[in-house]
Amino acid sequence: MLRPGGADLTIAGGVREFGRATPDVIAVRDGDRQLSYAALDERSSRVACALLSFGLTTGDRVALLCGNRLEYPEIAAGIAKAGLVMVPVNPRLTAPEVAFILGHSGARMLIADSEPDLDFPGAFVRIGPEYEKWLDDARAVDPCVAVNERDPFCIAYTAGTTGDPKGVLISHRSRSLTFYATALEWGIGPGRRTVAVAPMYHGAGFAFAYAAVHCGATVSMLRAFDPDALLDMIARDGAQSVFLVPTHAQLIRGAVTTMPKLPTLDTLYFNAAALPRVLKEWVFEAFPGVGVHELYGSTEAGVVTNLRPPDARRKAGTVGHPWFATEVRVIGPDGQPAAPGEPGELYSRSPYLMNGYHQNPAATAACTTEDGFLTSGDIVIRDEEGFLSIVDRVKDVIITGGVNVYPRDVEEILLAHPSVTECAVVGEPDDRWGERVVAYLVSPGPVEPDVLEAYLRERLAGFKVPKQYRPVAALPRNAAGKILKRELRSTP
């Protein structure tokens, strides 16, 4: 019996719908492999039945450890069809980091494209011949396990500033509405084509790639970022809307001397870090006639704002206005609404917000209000026309190449090394990566960067390892003993 208002939203809904409506349209391309919507619908149903054959029940967690590839959308849809919860895992993490996520999420099964170097007690399937046989042996029937649209479809882990990563609970409703709004805003809908450039294990990478198969478009998988490979893929597959982070634009700018003609491309949208004005001007010149959007959001809040093409130049340096169905508040240090031109902490309320942090009610309470607003800890200024500019971060998150690095994670490992007495990790401007990770060290003797780097690379993902190590006699502190990282960032 249907509830008034219709069936619940689910991220598997689009695959089911277009599997019937446009069965022969290509949903996913990956090199010389491709899936029609009919095939995607069938294979995701086989994934669902195969998962349930392991005895998994509604709400159980399934971890997915792989990069962008044809199987990613079908596995995500299959997990949803089975009423299970996906736990996307970054393949660049170290074994201890992966082990924490698997343990904290309570994952009962792991699907990966390589054999992980860890002791995982649950079921494991490796993408490749084993995975194909697993699907061949499964029933090609959609189990249609009922889920509440407000229940999580995934637990996305973001590194915390005070220790271990936090698991962000993202609902079917949140992501389904994001997909539909994405189709409306950036043209990811029927008859359109896009490229999965950002990794799908990231929140934005998944949202903007999977939106294609949820809304009837075609997505091409870029396995690893390469400027020429991306431009060739756009030209070959006729991509029209493409999501990038500023680092992608910087790498294209540095590697490509003559831009190819891309007659189908009409929309670029950027996220993850501010697009520097100089780089933004280059984007306008390199992609003439292409609408450039710049958006702001977070894993916890989803998309919060968007700067649309008519204002892209006039309001360069801002992130635009609140997105569809989004309310914002800018709260000053006194707890009152900040006036235009005055800095304040940004809060947002929308249907895209997370459900909370998995098994961490204290962290959830710390970033939410009783009336449903959430803050990601960013300081903004709102001008007289309502355009928002991100001016600082309450948290010390470093965004390097579109990936978040939290200094405390690096500092904890550094402080365990015998040559480090005190340390502070900060982000500093970098023309290529947006920001680079820099470690300031107080040590009893000479610092050997090569030794520290080898030590860190055994314990941290490569993108978290500092690009520079700077010895200092003492770390600047305020009267309360807190390290003044702002002073370190301004150190010549």
Side-chain angles (χ1 to χ4, degrees), residues 272-286:
L275 196 60
R277 291 173 187 264
V278 172
L279 182 58
K280 194 166 188 176
E281 282 299 324
W282 176 83
V283 170
F284 291 141
E285 295 171 6

Side-chain angles (χ1 to χ4, degrees), residues 47 71 74-75 126-135:
V47 170
E71 290 84 0
E74 71 187 24
I75 293 170
R126 182 171 180 173
I127 298 172
E130 176 189 355
Y131 172 84
E132 292 301 326
K133 184 178 186 308
W134 187 57
L135 294 196

Side-chain angles (χ1 to χ4, degrees), residues 161-447:
T161 56
T162 56
D164 291 321
K166 297 192 288 290
V168 182
L169 296 163
I170 304 174
S171 71
H172 284 272
R173 181 174 185 265
S174 162
R175 273 298 175 265
S176 295
L177 292 176
T178 298
F179 299 149
Y180 292 135
T182 295
L184 177 62
E185 184 76 80
W186 299 299
I188 311 295
R192 298 278 292 184
R193 297 172 295 280
T194 188
V195 179
V197 181
M200 292 186 70
Y201 53 76
H202 265 227
F206 181 85
F208 300 134
Y210 193 88
V213 300
H214 193 79
C215 297
T218 300
V219 60
S220 297
M221 294 289 165
L222 186 67
R223 291 288 188 104
F225 184 78
D226 174 85
D228 290 315
L230 171 60
L231 297 175
D232 288 347
M233 185 173 285
I234 293 173
R236 182 195 70 203
D237 295 347
Q240 297 145 316
S241 298
V242 177
F243 166 67
L244 301 174
V245 302
T247 297
H248 294 147
Q250 190 69 42
L251 293 173
I252 295 170
R253 183 186 185 186
V256 179
T257 54
T258 303
M259 287 293 295
K261 293 187 181 299
L262 302 171
T264 61
L265 186 66
D266 57 37
T267 302
L268 287 172
Y269 51 116
F270 289 86
N271 181 226
L275 196 60
R277 291 173 187 264
V278 172
L279 182 58
K280 194 166 188 176
E281 282 299 324
W282 176 83
V283 170
F284 291 141
E285 295 171 6
F287 300 94
V290 174
V292 177
H293 297 249
E294 192 169 356
L295 59 115
Y296 160 80
S298 67
T299 304
E300 292 89 342
V303 179
V304 177
T305 68
N306 182 35
L307 178 63
R308 298 180 171 98
D311 298 304
R313 272 197 166 97
R314 185 176 72 90
K315 289 293 184 178
T318 80
V319 291
H321 285 111
W323 208 41
F324 303 118
T326 299
E327 302 173 72
V328 300
R329 290 175 179 166
V330 181
I331 303 299
D334 59 358
Q336 299 301 311
E342 295 294 326
E345 188 168 353
L346 179 64
Y347 289 78
S348 67
R349 182 168 64 182
S350 75
Y352 320 116
L353 299 187
M354 68 173 181
N355 287 5
Y357 292 115
H358 179 58
Q359 296 184 349
N360 198 338
T364 303
C367 68
T368 54
T369 66
E370 290 185 359
D371 58 347
F373 280 79
L374 177 146
T375 178
S376 297
D378 289 310
I379 302 299
V380 306
I381 290 176
R382 180 162 43 187
D383 69 15
E384 295 287 352
E385 296 179 74
F387 288 84
L388 294 163
S389 300
I390 309 297
V391 296
D392 200 356
R393 290 186 290 277
V394 175
K395 301 172 185 176
D396 291 318
V397 60
I398 300 165
I399 303 176
T400 178
V403 179
N404 286 358
V405 175
Y406 291 83
R408 181 66 181 271
D409 295 343
V410 186
E411 290 164 357
E412 289 289 338
I413 304 298
L414 274 171
L415 288 170
H417 194 276
S419 71
V420 178
T421 303
E422 292 183 296
C423 69
V425 173
V426 302
E428 295 185 357
D430 187 278
D431 290 340
R432 181 175 186 181
W433 301 109
E435 288 185 301
R436 62 180 175 273
V437 182
V438 177
Y440 287 82
L441 308 173
V442 177
S443 304
V447 175

Side-chain angles (χ1 to χ4, degrees), residues 58-71:
T58 303
D60 281 346
R61 271 75 73 187
V62 178
L64 177 54
L65 177 68
C66 74
N68 291 359
R69 56 185 301 140
L70 177 139
E71 290 84 0

